[in-house]
Amino acid sequence: MQSLLRWSIENSTPQDGAPSDRPPVSNQKLDPGIIDMILGRPDAEQMKEDVATATDTSKSEDERLAALDHLEMLVEQIDNANDLQKLKLWEPLVSLLDSTESSTEIKVQILWVIGTAIQNNPQAQDVYLACSPLSTLLGFLVPSPSSTLAARAKALYTLSGLLKHNAPAVKELDKPGINGWRILREALQDPEISVRRKTVFLLNALILPATPTPAATQHNPPLLIGSQSQSTVVEGLTTINAPSATSVTSVGPDLHTVDEPNANSPDPIHANSHSAHLQNPSRSDTSRIALEAFGRYDIVDAIVLAVTSPLPYGEDGENDKPDADFEEKAVQLLYTYGVSCQGSFTAKEKEALTQWIEKEKTESGGISQLSERLNLSQTELVALVRRLG
């Protein structure tokens, strides 16, 4: 700070003087540290320093954790996340995560860094997937003395970042030796309810269709857009805010379509982080792959059981009442599966779910109250019930 003040005084001009009163000072005399104070150090330099500190076992645990925490903040910016590859920082991070000498706290922080870097980032997803990380990530979900709640939660965070909108990664869950779907199925019975919530939320995201299907909206009532005296019916929409003073007299058939680029003059695909989706739109469609796995590994049966006969949770299983948040997320998944994806239920699953819904409807005071509790519209809840008929 004193050096910065000294430099400022030496290079300043008196108020009553002219700029020519003092000869210019050569830039060669400027201390690089002073320039860093003024302009700030480049993010790339800070990222390399953070990884160097994190991998330096001579540093204290607190110093290493602080460096990883700072790195996680930097990779929130997508350009910085993609620079991990350019700076050759993926290998040391992955090695540190795989190392048996790394503490659980260090591994949790690395999971946080990686999960932040890859979420909604196809380019970073591809780079990380090339490191064959699934066995390591799923290993955190298998019960063991070192499998802490923080580790399982952050592993699911990183798994979500890798799997969402990434069909190639979802395919690898079914590779020999990975046992990805079995491990996720067992996570629905984790002693910690927060892990169950995260798991069912992830499963729902994986089966969610990339684009709405007619079956997903066929039970929705017509929505009137415009004034009561002059209105237009649009099928399949649940919420649209439109000024009452303005009436819409017609809605074209392409209301939900995206304009295709002109075949004779296609828009260029720039090499940014999302070009993968533009070059291969099917990359983001994980629904079909996940639905096939649901059938092979009885995932729906496990979800129905988790809703209708929930296991106690807590360190000692002291909580034996259903968790409202898990119920909401699980029923939303069942709606996505049964209605949006037109998935089929077995006779046993239909009976268990029908009985549970009837019981909960009675205890809640009616279908309106139950749908509100489950964060579904009445139309959606009725549509799910019909799929159980």
Side-chain angles (χ1 to χ4, degrees), residues 168-369:
V170 175
K171 287 180 181 177
E172 292 207 4
L173 285 174
D174 215 12
K175 276 190 173 181
I178 299 295
N179 294 321
W181 291 106
R182 286 193 177 92
I183 291 173
L184 288 174
R185 185 183 191 279
E186 291 169 2
L188 293 168
Q189 300 178 347
D190 193 276
E192 288 290 343
I193 193 64
S194 61
V195 174
R196 299 185 204 177
R197 294 177 194 145
K198 293 176 187 294
T199 301
V200 80
F201 186 80
L202 171 59
L203 292 172
N204 184 61
L206 295 183
I207 66 169
L208 198 65
T211 55
T213 60
T217 57
Q218 64 184 355
H219 299 291
N220 289 345
L223 176 73
L224 300 181
I225 301 180
S227 64
Q228 292 181 352
S229 60
Q230 189 175 13
S231 60
T232 299
V233 175
V234 180
E235 298 286 351
L237 301 181
T238 54
T239 55
I240 289 184
N241 295 323
S244 59
T246 304
S247 62
V248 182
T249 57
S250 64
V251 178
D254 296 329
L255 180 64
H256 298 294
T257 62
V258 179
D259 291 337
E260 296 286 344
N262 190 318
N264 299 322
S265 170
D267 293 333
I269 296 178
H270 300 286
N272 58 29
S273 63
H274 291 279
S275 61
H277 288 317
L278 298 175
Q279 293 169 343
N280 180 17
S282 65
R283 169 200 167 91
S284 63
D285 188 4
T286 62
S287 182
R288 179 186 57 80
I289 303 167
L291 286 170
E292 290 176 357
F294 269 40
R296 286 196 301 274
Y297 296 98
D298 295 325
I299 303 293
V300 175
D301 183 67
I303 297 164
V304 171
L305 187 63
V307 171
T308 59
S309 302
L311 289 176
Y313 56 92
E315 187 174 348
D316 299 314
E318 66 274 14
N319 297 306
D320 57 359
K321 293 184 179 179
D323 178 74
D325 192 14
F326 176 80
E327 274 188 353
E328 178 185 317
K329 289 179 169 62
V331 173
Q332 178 63 60
L333 186 153
L334 293 170
Y335 172 83
T336 301
Y337 171 79
V339 180
S340 300
C341 301
Q342 291 289 285
S344 59
F345 297 93
T346 66
K348 180 182 175 182
E349 292 162 356
K350 289 180 178 180
E351 181 181 5
L353 270 178
T354 301
Q355 290 178 357
W356 181 82
I357 290 175
E358 285 300 318
K359 178 175 72 71
E360 297 302 317
K361 183 175 70 174
T362 301
E363 293 180 359
S364 299
I367 190 170
S368 175
Q369 291 80 355

Side-chain angles (χ1 to χ4, degrees), residues 65 68 71-72 75 90 93-94 96-98 103-119 128 133-134 136-141 146 148-162:
L65 290 172
L68 288 168
L71 179 62
E72 191 274 334
V75 298
W90 273 110
L93 286 173
V94 171
L96 199 59
L97 183 63
D98 291 339
S103 68
T104 301
E105 290 74 18
I106 291 288
K107 291 186 176 185
V108 167
Q109 203 67 34
I110 294 172
L111 287 169
W112 196 3
V113 171
I114 294 175
T116 298
I118 62 179
Q119 64 179 345
Y128 185 49
L134 282 174
T136 298
L137 296 180
L138 292 163
F140 285 101
L141 302 182
S146 61
T148 64
L149 169 60
R152 299 201 298 282
K154 279 296 183 284
L156 279 167
Y157 172 68
T158 308
L159 268 173
S160 295
L162 179 63

